[in-house]
């Protein structure tokens, strides 16, 4: 989970990972779960939650040290597109067992704020972001 501070009124046990992400993560190998955890530390550049908490990371697959990250964005033309790509590559490229990182941007399913958990919504409200 993200190391970002949880709002005081959100239970420490409250899941910050959406059901959508959890379904995608369920079939991950132990190494892929480690990669999910690493990406869960990358903050969204605009919002005080991680890319995983934002449900922007749809899947992570590793085969023969080649990692593919399936990623989406809340909107087309995201001004942080390149920054997010660079953050993902930088974080994963230094992991033992990762030789190559490919990012596959997908638009299906279309990202929706419905993918956010109540705990993430509360974090955003605490930061002054309305949904």
């Amino acid at each position: 989970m993200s190391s970002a501070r949880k709002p005081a009124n959100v239970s420490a046990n409250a899941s910050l990972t959406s059901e959508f992400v959890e379904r995608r993560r369920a079939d991950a190998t132990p190494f892929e779960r480690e990669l999910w955890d690493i990406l869960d530390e990358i903050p969204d550049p605009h919002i005080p939650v991680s890319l995983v908490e934002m449900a922007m990371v749809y899947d992570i697959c590793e085969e023969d040290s080649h990692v593919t990250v399936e990623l989406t964005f809340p909107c087309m033309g995201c001004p942080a597109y390149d920054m997010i790509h660079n953050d993902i590559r930088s974080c994963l490229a230094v992991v033992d067992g990762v030789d190559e990182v490919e990012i596959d941007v997908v638009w299906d399913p279309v990202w929706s704020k419905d993918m956010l958990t109540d705990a993430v919504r509360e974090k955003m409200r605490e930061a002054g972001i309305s949904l």
Side-chain angles (χ1 to χ4, degrees):
M1 284 290 153
S2 174
S3 62
R5 186 180 75 74
K6 292 178 178 55
N9 57 348
V10 174
S11 165
N13 295 327
S15 174
L16 295 177
T17 307
S18 74
E19 204 174 296
F20 173 79
V21 169
E22 286 303 319
R23 282 194 313 267
R24 294 290 179 112
R25 198 172 176 165
D27 293 331
T29 66
F31 184 60
E32 289 168 345
R33 279 190 222 103
E34 179 183 333
L35 299 176
W36 274 98
D37 291 343
I38 290 167
L39 292 190
D40 198 18
E41 296 297 321
I42 300 174
D44 180 292
H46 306 294
I47 299 171
V49 297
S50 78
L51 299 178
V52 172
E53 290 171 334
M54 278 293 292
M56 292 170 58
V57 177
Y58 281 4
D59 208 357
I60 300 172
C61 299
E62 182 273 335
E63 186 174 323
D64 299 326
S65 300
H66 177 95
V67 174
T68 302
V69 177
E70 192 174 284
L71 176 72
T72 196
F73 289 87
C75 63
M76 292 187 119
C78 174
Y81 184 94
D82 289 332
M83 177 190 282
I84 290 170
H85 279 236
N86 290 337
D87 286 349
I88 290 170
R89 282 193 181 96
S90 297
C91 286
L92 296 182
V94 298
V95 175
D96 285 338
V98 175
D99 292 334
E100 185 179 353
V101 177
E102 178 182 344
I103 299 171
D104 185 14
V105 177
V106 297
W107 299 103
D108 185 30
V110 174
W111 183 90
S112 164
K113 64 183 178 181
D114 294 336
M115 293 175 168
L116 302 175
T117 65
D118 289 340
V120 169
R121 290 170 187 268
E122 183 59 27
K123 280 177 78 171
M124 293 171 74
R125 278 191 287 276
E126 293 273 326
I129 299 167
S130 64
L131 296 171

